[in-house]
Amino acid sequence: MKNQNIKAYLMRGLAVVIGIFMVGTVVGLFKIAAVGADPFTAMNTGISSFIGMQFGTLQLIVNACILFFIFIFKRQFIGFGTIFNMVFVGYTADFLMWILEKWQITFETWPVRIMMLAVAVFLICIGDALYISADMGMSPYDAAGYIVESLTKGNVQFRTARIVLDLICVAVGFAAGLQTDIQWKIIGMGTLILAFGTGPLIQFFRIHWSDKLLLPFLEKKDRR
């Protein structure tokens, strides 16, 4: 039984690591392809450019601020996945961008950008669904949507709360980007698709794939 518990924990941990590195990779691809970053990245990119701070460091600080409120309202959302997400998504994106720039890999033509956008949307939703279903804590930003759902007793569902939060991030990112004239580099077609589609798509992939995949590895009290 003990070995089974260790195996289950390792499988859930692996799901968290894979999911979060997928998200970090996609964030980097969005920034390089310049089709518009996801809303949370767009906000942090705009702010980091405005104040002259490295993206990964700024994102870590913003996540830490959100984490404070999660600790007050829904501390059960905090776990290994929360900390891993806070630290590695931003720096994974920074590392990927550094590699692509060093190798001079660019996505200049629109057909390539559109293809990259489609792949990135799929991967970021799959990655989010995977580490959330692992139930080892979720990112502060993802948890915010579930907190809204919980505080409203389900009257505002996660997918709706996520859309509202995404639109707020887009507005902040655009305003901050105006100050350094990068607003149209971080806000674009990809941003709008993710702002309206991320919440519903994450929920879809969780219900039809990741929840079922990881159910055997969850403790009975954690099974949804």
Side-chain angles (χ1 to χ4, degrees):
M1 181 63 69
K2 185 176 181 180
N3 289 336
Q4 290 179 342
N5 290 337
I6 293 175
K7 179 182 177 181
Y9 189 85
L10 290 175
M11 291 300 296
R12 291 164 63 192
L14 180 61
V16 168
V17 172
I18 292 174
I20 288 175
F21 276 127
M22 287 174 66
V23 173
T25 298
V26 168
V27 169
L29 289 176
F30 268 123
K31 290 168 72 67
I32 290 292
V35 291
D38 67 274
F40 190 57
T41 299
M43 180 184 74
N44 292 331
T45 301
I47 295 174
S48 64
S49 175
F50 177 57
I51 66 177
M53 180 181 290
Q54 184 180 357
F55 168 76
T57 302
L58 187 280
Q59 180 143 310
L60 179 59
I61 293 173
V62 173
N63 274 325
C65 293
I66 301 174
L67 185 64
F68 173 76
F69 292 98
I70 296 173
F71 185 79
I72 295 175
F73 293 107
K74 283 289 179 181
R75 64 185 64 181
Q76 63 266 35
F77 286 155
I78 301 174
F80 165 70
T82 309
I83 306 303
F84 200 84
N85 183 292
M86 286 176 58
V87 175
F88 285 100
V89 168
Y91 289 120
T92 298
D94 281 340
F95 179 73
L96 178 65
M97 291 177 64
W98 177 76
I99 289 293
L100 293 179
E101 289 174 359
K102 183 177 181 180
W103 291 348
Q104 298 183 338
I105 298 176
T106 59
F107 307 110
E108 297 181 351
T109 64
W110 272 107
V112 173
R113 289 183 178 183
I114 296 299
M115 180 182 67
M116 191 59 61
L117 173 61
V119 172
V121 170
F122 177 77
L123 289 180
I124 198 169
C125 291
I126 285 286
D128 269 334
L130 190 59
Y131 87 81
I132 291 174
S133 294
D135 200 26
M136 298 184 74
M138 61 181 70
S139 77
Y141 186 63
D142 287 327
Y146 286 103
I147 288 175
V148 172
E149 182 179 60
S150 176
L151 292 178
T152 61
K153 298 180 180 180
N155 290 324
V156 178
Q157 294 187 352
F158 167 78
R159 59 178 177 268
T160 303
R162 181 60 177 261
I163 289 173
V164 173
L165 291 172
D166 282 349
L167 290 175
I168 292 173
C169 286
V170 169
V172 173
F174 186 84
L178 275 173
Q179 310 307 312
T180 53
D181 199 31
I182 65 167
Q183 68 275 17
W184 297 121
K185 293 182 180 179
I186 59 175
I187 307 295
M189 178 171 53
T191 310
L192 295 178
I193 291 174
L194 289 173
F196 289 100
T198 300
L201 284 173
I202 291 173
Q203 196 166 32
F204 173 83
F205 284 122
R206 285 194 62 193
I207 293 171
H208 297 285
W209 177 65
S210 58
D211 279 357
K212 295 178 181 179
L213 177 69
L214 294 172
L215 182 63
F217 304 108
L218 294 174
E219 297 178 15
K220 290 183 179 180
K221 64 183 180 64
D222 294 327
R223 296 184 179 184
R224 297 183 275 281

